Amino acid sequence: MGAPEFQTPPLKEYPVIPILAKDAMAGSRPYVASEKMNEAIGFPGKLVEGWQARAIAKMGELLGKYRSLKVFLDACVHCGACTDKCQYFLGTGDPKNMPVARQELVRKVYRRYFTFAGKYFPRLVGAEDLTEAVLEDWYRYFNQCSECRRCSVYCPYGIDTAEITMAAKEIMDSVGVGQKYTNEIIGKVHRLGNNLGLPGPALADTLETLEEEIKEDTGADVRLPVNEAGAEVLVITPSADFFAEPHVFSLIGYAKVFHAAGIRWTLSSHASEAGNFGLFIGSYEQMRKIALRIREAALELGVRRIVVGECGHAWRVAYSFWNTLIGPFDFLDPRYPAPQHICELTDDLIRRGAIRLDKEANDARVVTFHDSCNVARGAGMGGIARGQFIIPRRIIQAACNHFHDMAPETIHEATFCCGGGGGLLTDELTELRVKGALPRMEALKAVVDEHGVNFMATICAICKAQFSKVLPYYRFDMSMIGGVHQLVGDAIRLGRND
Amino acid sequence: MSAVTIIYACLFYAATAMLVVGLAAKIAGYARTPAPLTVPTTPAPRTRAGVALRMAREVALFESLFRANKWTWLFGWLFHAALALVLFRHLRYFTEPVWAAVALAQPAGVYAGFAMLAGLAGLWARRFLVERIRYISTWSDHLMLALLVLIALSGLMMKYVSHTDVVAVKAFMLGLMRFDWQPLPADGPLLVHLFLAAALMALFPASKLLHAPGVFFSPTRNQADDSRERRRLAPWAAELEKK
Ligand code: HEM
Ligand code: SF4
Ligand code: SF4
Ligand code: SF4
């Protein structure tokens, strides 16, 4: 629907840096938000009068608020080290998808209005006025960046294109050019507490049905409680976990872990969403407002621990930002003073012998792990260096016998984004999403061919949705993608632990 | 006092002022601007000491660039290491008596001039030969390389082609520093060398050379992975909490 026809790129044996295909993706453009959607979250409804001056003023404001932006716009030497690091460039060949070229869309405007050289010698330094054509380029190409930060790993100054993309989106929102997918969802989370717009009673119903299904499957009374005051743990999980496949299998996995460990937990209908799209549009205020619901829910329910489910960008926000945004968490159990990842909790239980897994249950699976970029490059885990790489793999290897990592230059902090992050997970961007997944698909194909891998585990709701959609384009089975706690859920012993 | 001496004396005072004032203003701006969120890039050290070590590796070895692209790293590192040595060697024109370490570096410093040129040539070649880098190069990128190449070439000219009276040059430089002007020899290569060097100093705070101070202020590199223990509440963000 909406998306033009395109060809899925062939999977090559060795990744090749594409030759430049100018304007190859100039047609890729997400739907703009309606007036109502923008206004609902405090932005002007449509392109405002005098937008140019207002955009420049906003840029000035952001330059005073974010050191990252200020330094990054000055420091780039055009060395080109980042040019072949973005999955969207590798998949599309469009030169404006090279990180430095993407940054340049903002930098040329910054130069023009904020630097001596750009004011007086614009041609020399590539400075340009903020025209309607430039704004249009912004809208297209900043909606072709998943804010995955891969470029930042390789830049000699750590210039993070994601910070620039966020600034550009914030400026666009401030003059009334919002993106539909993200802004509509932010409206929903403010209204109903989750991105899907699922009201409380419907959530309770869904959870009840799941309990019945688990009972039928296993015979055990595994519970999925919601709004239970006095529970020890509040679980904040992406709302896709309530509905979508394969997400829901991980939710079942968490429930079984709590059941087997005998920990009282609850979900909250007030904060029934881990995802925080405020991050994607670069809005500190939106991000904070969305996150505050979680603090409110935790205080109201009187929980002693907060645990976050499988969601990449949510974990970045939770791990790296929550303490600043909605902290301090002085009301939590001093043994768990910071919100935790579900993988930290499960890993700890496995290592203490508090839950037991039967690996044989997963013997039909040959597993690999996709490091979700927001976890890999924007967060940590377990209070140990590289914990976000070690812990999920340790859990997988406790839950199954056959595990193979993909090529080293495609995992850990070098991981490729799935292609659907950063607010791009919308149907009209299908071409971009399919092409952006190319590097990951090539790495996957190598382990499929070599080791017979038939399951790619991940801990991100967007990754799961994105891969379910794009795997078939590359002739993989869409059920290859699943969660780490899906593996745990299938292997865990629910009875007595002896 | 010749006109050349007066012009160059003024030129150097002006260039130094622009460099110092411009850079101080830029650095103050970076330092004043808050970093409101914890955003280090993996693999992020967990302690301040770890951050210092990471920064040292970035500045001395170009660690990230090494991961990214071996050719750029090779040429870039060669150029910068040679530049550092050359600048260090130049201290002999500004110190009396010459520091022992500077004296020791003199022989190696000569080769450094050639190494610097080789590095610059490699970097410049990339701007023509590699399509992606050609695409992102601006006129100012080429001009900056041209400037550095010309500075190096004119410097080497004085060493190998037409000798300059370095004792007089040193007297001129020391004179500038002591506000007791001494005559500057009016040799072509020397005048070119000094003019371009002054231009580089003046351009520094208004150009991409800001990457040198910038790297120290880059939040993705200078922050520790300490978000769970530390709130980074910026003053403007604290205002939101009052609402
Ligand atoms: C803290 C000190 C510095 C560090 C860490 C540093 C680091 C780097 C790195 C990693 C690059 C990219 C690779 C390359 O193209 O060489 C670069 C480029 C460059 N640096 Fe530096 N640099 C420093 C100081 C300087 C100074 C003092 C100058 C000149 C006076 C300079 C001039 C340049 C130029 C002209 C380029 C661009 C080369 C090109 O066009 O390809 N750098 N620097
Ligand atoms: S943040 Fe990721 S998607 Fe955006 S330019 Fe960098 S590598 Fe590409
Ligand atoms: S690696 Fe960094 S400095 Fe080099 S071109 Fe890319 S953003 Fe600029
Ligand atoms: S969906 Fe997953 S891989 Fe993609 S941006 Fe989010 S965390 Fe990264």
Side-chain angles (χ1 to χ4, degrees), chain A residues 427-446:
Chain A
D427 277 344
E428 70 270 22
L429 295 180
T430 298
E431 175 177 2
L432 177 79
R433 288 166 53 192
V434 168
K435 291 182 173 173
L438 176 73
R440 172 50 75 225
M441 292 296 108
E442 282 176 348
L444 176 63
K445 180 162 193 305

Side-chain angles (χ1 to χ4, degrees), chain A residues 20 65 67 70 74-75 77-78 83 85 124 149 152 155 157-158 319 323-324 339 344 376-377 413, chain B residues 26 30 33-34 39 41-42 67-68 127 131-132 140-141 208 211 218 220-221 225 227-228 231-232 236:
Chain A
L20 303 188
K65 279 177 152 182
R67 185 189 295 161
K70 203 178 183 82
D74 276 342
V77 295
H78 291 175
T83 50
K85 301 298 184 280
L124 187 69
R149 316 182 87 212
S152 159
C155 173
Y157 323 113
Y319 178 89
N323 193 16
T324 300
E344 293 178 310
R377 287 187 285 265
E413 70 266 28
Chain B
K26 272 291 178 188
Y30 296 154
T33 310
V39 296
T41 322
T42 314
R67 290 189 69 174
R127 297 211 178 274
E131 191 191 19
R132 285 172 284 128
S140 58
D141 294 323
K208 65 176 185 176
H211 67 284
S218 171
T220 54
R221 290 290 185 268
D225 169 14
S227 54
R228 280 177 159 177
R231 298 188 74 206
R232 282 187 192 274
W236 61 262

Side-chain angles (χ1 to χ4, degrees), chain A residues 75-83 99-100 103 107 151 154-159 161, chain B residues 136:
Chain A
C76 175
V77 295
H78 291 175
C79 73
C82 60
T83 50
V100 47
Q103 296 162 24
R107 190 174 285 118
C151 43
Y154 296 95
C155 173
Y157 323 113
I159 294 176
T161 313
Chain B
I136 59 170

Side-chain angles (χ1 to χ4, degrees), chain A residues 3 22 30 43-44 135 144 180 226 233 239 262 285 290 306 325 334 357 406 443 454 457:
Chain A
K22 265 198 177 174
F43 297 133
L135 183 69
Q144 296 187 37
K180 172 170 181 251
V226 61
V233 177
S239 53
E285 258 185 283
I290 294 169
I306 300 175
L325 292 174
L357 306 181
M406 287 178 275
N454 59 16

Side-chain angles (χ1 to χ4, degrees), chain A residues 8-55:
Chain A
T8 304
L11 293 179
K12 300 167 296 289
E13 197 121 337
Y14 300 99
V16 179
I17 301 171
I19 43 174
L20 303 188
K22 265 198 177 174
D23 295 332
M25 293 302 283
S28 178
R29 185 177 198 284
Y31 298 143
V32 291
S34 70
E35 274 182 58
K36 235 172 91 191
M37 290 170 195
N38 281 338
E39 280 163 4
I41 57 175
F43 297 133
K46 56 175 199 254
L47 192 62
V48 294
E49 243 172 81
W51 65 271
Q52 196 193 25
R54 283 175 70 163

Side-chain angles (χ1 to χ4, degrees), chain B residues 19-179:
Chain B
L19 176 70
V20 172
V21 175
L23 215 50
K26 272 291 178 188
I27 289 175
Y30 296 154
R32 251 199 325 266
T33 310
L37 292 167
T38 308
V39 296
T41 322
T42 314
R46 302 187 57 78
T47 59
R48 293 310 303 166
V51 168
L53 197 68
R54 175 186 213 180
M55 194 60 83
R57 289 198 309 267
E58 287 294 351
V59 170
L61 304 174
F62 298 2
E63 186 181 45
S64 298
L65 183 59
F66 184 79
R67 290 189 69 174
N69 190 305
K70 300 292 186 279
W71 284 112
T72 310
W73 177 83
L74 178 70
F75 295 129
W77 192 82
L78 189 66
F79 157 61
H80 284 84
L83 175 71
L85 202 60
V86 167
L87 286 176
F88 188 65
R89 197 177 105 100
H90 276 65
L91 283 178
R92 70 172 169 159
Y93 297 110
F94 305 93
T95 51
E96 183 58 45
V98 173
W99 305 341
V102 175
L104 217 65
Q106 293 306 314
V110 179
Y111 299 108
F114 290 103
M116 191 172 139
L117 270 183
L120 285 168
L123 289 172
W124 210 348
R126 285 175 52 79
R127 297 211 178 274
F128 292 103
L129 300 179
V130 182
E131 191 191 19
R132 285 172 284 128
I133 305 197
R134 195 162 63 225
Y135 178 89
I136 59 170
S137 297
T138 59
W139 283 107
S140 58
D141 294 323
H142 289 286
L143 280 178
M144 190 56 75
L145 287 167
L147 187 61
L148 287 160
V149 164
L150 286 176
I151 292 175
L153 276 180
S154 55
L156 289 169
M157 282 266 287
M158 287 186 279
K159 175 98 193 144
Y160 292 102
V161 184
S162 74
H163 279 277
T164 290
D165 180 357
V166 291
V167 176
V169 174
K170 175 160 183 170
F172 171 76
M173 286 299 173
L174 288 174
L176 285 183
M177 289 164 64
R178 294 169 184 160
F179 299 99

